[in-house]
Amino acid sequence: MVKKVILNGVEIQVEEYEEEVVHQPNGEPLHKIRFAFKVRSDEYHDITTLLYQQTFDVSVPERDLNFRGTIQNYSTSVTNLYKKNQVGDFRLELIETI
C-alpha cells in the first residue's frame, strides 16, 4: 500500500490511495490519483498554501510514478484548522497535465 505522495517536494503521509489511467479523446493516456490524508492544525497553513498552487510535480515513490499533475477534485472535513489540536480529513484527486 502507498504510504506517501510527494507534491513539489513536500511529503504527505496518505491513509487511502487509488490510481488509474484515463484516456483523452485522442487516446493519449493520463495518470490520475486519489488519496486521503490527515492535516493537523499546526500543518494547516503550509498544506493549504501548497494546495493553492493547484499544479504540482507529483511523485509516488512506492509506485515509481512521477508526473506533472493538477487538482481535479479536492475536499476537506473542515474549513478552519487554525484552532489548536484539531485534525482535518483532506481528499485530493490529481490528473496528469500535458
Side-chain angles (χ1 to χ4, degrees):
M1 172 163 164
V2 169
K3 301 226 186 277
K4 68 180 171 182
V5 172
I6 301 170
L7 303 180
N8 289 352
V10 177
E11 189 174 301
I12 297 173
Q13 298 301 315
V14 302
E15 296 190 339
E16 297 173 27
Y17 177 86
E18 296 177 41
E19 155 184 334
E20 67 179 300
V21 174
V22 295
H23 293 87
Q24 291 189 305
N26 67 3
E28 185 171 350
L30 301 174
H31 294 286
K32 183 176 182 179
I33 64 171
R34 291 178 208 81
F35 57 97
F37 58 102
K38 301 277 188 196
V39 176
R40 296 184 322 265
S41 54
D42 61 324
E43 304 169 310
Y44 179 68
H45 177 77
D46 291 339
I47 291 294
T48 54
T49 299
L50 172 68
L51 296 179
Y52 286 141
Q53 295 176 29
Q54 296 186 0
T55 301
F56 314 95
D57 291 323
V58 180
S59 177
V60 185
E62 290 121 323
R63 301 284 296 143
D64 196 27
L65 178 62
N66 299 287
F67 64 93
R68 186 82 175 148
T70 192
I71 295 175
Q72 188 168 47
N73 198 355
Y74 160 78
S75 66
T76 180
S77 63
V78 293
T79 56
N80 184 353
L81 278 175
Y82 285 113
K83 291 183 182 178
K84 227 175 175 177
N85 300 318
Q86 290 192 45
V87 177
D89 296 311
F90 281 57
R91 294 189 170 277
L92 194 57
E93 183 174 294
L94 303 173
I95 191 163
E96 186 174 9
T97 57
I98 299 185

